[in-house]
Amino acid sequence: MMHPSKRALSILTTLLAAVHMASAGTVVQFRTEFGTVDVELYDVDKPITSANFIRYVTAGAYQDMFFHRVVPNFVIQGGGFRVTNRGGTNALANSVPIRPTITNEFGVGPFLSNVEGTIAMAKTSDPNSASSQFFFNLRNNAAALDATNNAGGFTVFGRVIRGTNVLERWNGFTRYNSQTTPTNAPNLIVNAGSPYNELPILQ
């Protein structure tokens, strides 16, 4: 567990809510401090991955979740941690309760590339290790993340249909270095120790 600073909580707390079926696929809405992002899931093309994600959402596992990893011009990652006792003096960052891991669907159904504006599952070097964590591709990451020799490829299971401008704001974060603190960057990435090695906060 971690006692996050209040300034970190002011920017990181992120709600994930409002699941509903659309004609093309399930739409999930992320409500963040930067604005809302609507994501259409590929229910038919990646059924196991989409169903797994929806189970986490409907169970409330992602309520008060925050993005714990930001790499500008690459990805923002969430689904692993959330805030409990939000707004209180004893607010804590805790792990999202995880379900059993799922089968990697990268090679199942149509080929879906890790291009800008897509959402994909995070995992370890084990291709079938994805559980609760996911990431948004901030740029075209096909060369690195579509390679099957990279842990079997990373399964894309949805795309942003509204709110790409919100995602773009994460590219404005600056990596904090204690020796060269930027004075003109309101959004920082700090190393708060594993698993918060690339934690985004506001100054």
Side-chain angles (χ1 to χ4, degrees):
M1 291 188 298
M2 173 190 176
H3 293 267
S5 69
K6 289 184 179 179
R7 75 172 182 171
L9 290 181
S10 69
I11 181 64
L12 295 182
T13 303
T14 306
L15 301 179
L16 195 155
V19 178
H20 64 276
M21 295 301 293
S23 57
T26 302
V27 174
V28 180
Q29 185 176 83
F30 291 74
R31 297 174 183 167
T32 80
E33 295 288 342
F34 286 154
T36 51
V37 179
D38 291 346
V39 175
E40 179 188 356
L41 303 184
Y42 297 126
D43 307 76
V44 175
D45 296 336
K46 307 297 177 182
I48 294 173
T49 310
S50 296
N52 175 70
F53 186 78
I54 292 168
R55 278 194 293 268
Y56 277 103
V57 175
T58 55
Y62 293 145
Q63 188 72 17
D64 290 330
M65 177 209 78
F66 60 92
F67 293 112
H68 67 279
R69 179 184 180 222
V70 173
V71 184
N73 297 306
F74 184 48
V75 301
I76 55 172
Q77 185 170 330
F81 306 95
R82 61 184 181 179
V83 176
T84 55
N85 301 319
R86 181 185 181 198
T89 57
N90 59 340
L92 295 172
N94 290 294
S95 298
V96 167
I98 62 170
R99 302 171 59 86
T101 58
I102 60 173
T103 301
N104 185 3
E105 292 186 295
F106 179 79
V108 175
F111 171 69
L112 300 174
S113 182
N114 282 273
V115 295
E116 182 177 355
T118 57
I119 186 173
M121 291 304 295
K123 55 187 173 58
T124 67
S125 58
D126 177 357
N128 301 312
S129 61
S131 56
S132 67
Q133 295 195 35
F134 57 87
F135 59 88
F136 283 100
N137 284 295
L138 298 178
R139 289 291 183 266
N140 185 343
N141 295 318
L145 303 183
D146 289 352
T148 54
N149 62 355
N150 187 352
F154 290 80
T155 302
V156 169
F157 64 98
R159 66 185 181 95
V160 175
I161 58 174
R162 188 175 299 106
T164 52
N165 60 317
V166 175
L167 290 186
E168 184 62 31
R169 294 196 56 183
W170 297 94
N171 281 321
F173 278 72
T174 301
R175 190 170 299 279
Y176 171 77
N177 181 317
S178 59
Q179 297 175 347
T180 57
T181 306
T183 57
N184 59 346
N187 306 326
L188 296 179
I189 300 168
V190 301
N191 185 344
S194 182
Y196 305 112
N197 296 354
E198 295 167 308
L199 184 70
I201 65 170
L202 279 183
Q203 289 199 85

